Amino acid sequence: METVECTHCNESYRVKPCKVKQTKYCSKECHTESQKRRVTLVCEYCEDQYEVKQSHSKASRFCSRVCKDTHKRERPNPTVPCSWCGESLERRRYDIEHYENQFCDEQCMGKWRSRNIVGEEHPQWKDGTYAQFGDNWFWMRRKIRERDEVCQICREDGSSHMLDVHHIVPRREFDMVENSNTPYNLVLLCRSCHKRVEHGSIPCPHPTIQSRSVADKIDRFLRLFRVGLDGFEPSASAL
């Protein structure tokens, strides 16, 4: 047995060596009394003194909920500049402490993310090598929108969700980025379905084209790419 000192009454008592690090009190009564120990603090709003449990002293700032709520109402929120346009914004201290950037609205946030969260900074970055879509992208994207008209998964027409043109085989797989912009490799998806396809939660559909011969070419295009045929680079202008 070893002798230790009670942290409440300071009396010595004996315990087994294996319990020396586990025990603090000589009895249950001392343990109960220690939990009732209270300390005196000063309220940050009304400056009156009040008592709280010692275990709550570090987190306590006000003597009552009324003082706490009144303090929050009367204390103005700080102003910070919008991270995109620089306009002054009033934000909660919690938001300023926990979020590095503040924005006026979703438009400012979207513009900032489009410029700053790209390449390796993007959460979906997969060691890609091309930052551009190629010279033929804008023309081909317009053609795909005219061809598909609606999301090829949920048939969304763009009234509820934005429509994106998705690359079935990623651009980084091509030696020339322009060759990824073929009708075989592009399909129209709504923003919601596009995210699900990118994360692999649902399969990506093939482009919907009426001609059977063109559909066969699409299947062959994807099949050859998946088996990794050396030197296979389909023409960007082929339909």
Side-chain angles (χ1 to χ4, degrees):
M1 302 290 282
E2 292 190 18
T3 302
V4 294
E5 187 175 289
C6 176
T7 57
H8 178 67
C9 65
N10 297 326
E11 294 289 338
S12 298
Y13 64 102
R14 296 175 66 80
V15 295
K16 294 180 179 180
C18 62
K19 294 186 177 181
V20 169
K21 295 183 179 180
Q22 302 174 6
T23 182
K24 293 182 178 180
Y25 309 100
C26 61
S27 63
K28 290 184 178 180
E29 289 75 14
C30 280
H31 179 267
T32 302
E33 289 299 323
S34 68
Q35 299 303 310
K36 296 180 180 179
R37 187 179 299 171
R38 304 177 74 83
V39 295
T40 302
L41 301 176
V42 177
C43 175
E44 290 188 12
Y45 179 71
C46 67
E47 299 184 352
D48 288 343
Q49 293 185 346
Y50 66 102
E51 291 186 350
V52 295
K53 291 182 180 180
Q54 186 177 14
S55 59
H56 296 172
S57 60
K58 292 184 179 180
S60 181
R61 298 171 54 196
F62 306 98
C63 61
S64 65
R65 177 59 65 88
V66 175
C67 282
K68 179 179 179 181
D69 293 342
T70 306
H71 174 78
K72 291 179 66 176
R73 286 195 302 269
E74 294 182 356
R75 186 184 184 188
N77 289 325
T79 57
V80 294
C82 172
S83 297
W84 174 253
C85 67
E87 183 177 347
S88 295
L89 310 171
E90 186 177 300
R91 289 293 184 266
R92 299 182 305 170
R93 287 175 172 79
Y94 177 88
D95 294 335
I96 296 175
E97 292 173 359
H98 290 79
Y99 301 101
E100 182 178 355
N101 298 288
Q102 306 294 327
F103 303 99
C104 303
D105 49 33
E106 291 186 356
Q107 290 185 348
C108 280
M109 182 177 67
K111 292 177 181 178
W112 183 89
R113 290 173 64 89
S114 296
R115 173 171 294 183
N116 295 278
I117 306 182
V118 295
E120 296 182 358
E121 299 297 327
H122 197 280
Q124 295 182 9
W125 174 259
K126 298 178 181 178
D127 297 327
T129 57
Y130 295 106
Q132 303 297 327
F133 283 79
D135 295 337
N136 61 344
W137 165 245
F138 294 102
W139 178 84
M140 188 60 70
R141 182 177 62 176
R142 184 173 68 251
K143 291 297 181 181
I144 299 305
R145 289 181 180 274
E146 294 174 356
R147 183 193 71 187
D148 293 347
E149 296 183 347
V150 298
C151 173
Q152 298 302 290
I153 295 179
C154 67
R155 315 309 294 177
E156 166 65 40
D157 61 0
S159 57
S160 300
H161 297 282
M162 294 182 63
L163 299 179
D164 299 331
V165 177
H166 169 66
H167 288 81
I168 300 175
V169 177
R171 291 177 293 123
R172 63 179 178 274
E173 302 292 341
F174 292 80
D175 292 337
M176 294 183 59
V177 67
E178 286 81 5
N179 288 339
S180 68
N181 302 328
T182 72
Y184 307 155
N185 195 40
L186 300 174
V187 63
L188 191 63
L189 303 175
C190 72
R191 184 64 53 84
S192 177
C193 291
H194 193 184
K195 291 181 179 178
R196 295 167 64 194
V197 167
E198 290 285 0
H199 287 106
S201 58
I202 59 174
C204 181
H206 290 189
T208 301
I209 301 177
Q210 298 299 324
S211 171
R212 181 66 252 176
S213 61
V214 175
D216 291 339
K217 290 180 180 179
I218 294 173
D219 291 336
R220 180 176 178 273
F221 172 88
L222 297 174
R223 186 169 61 255
L224 289 173
F225 226 107
R226 287 179 180 130
V227 300
L229 184 61
D230 293 337
F232 177 67
E233 283 287 350
S235 170
S237 61
L239 289 174

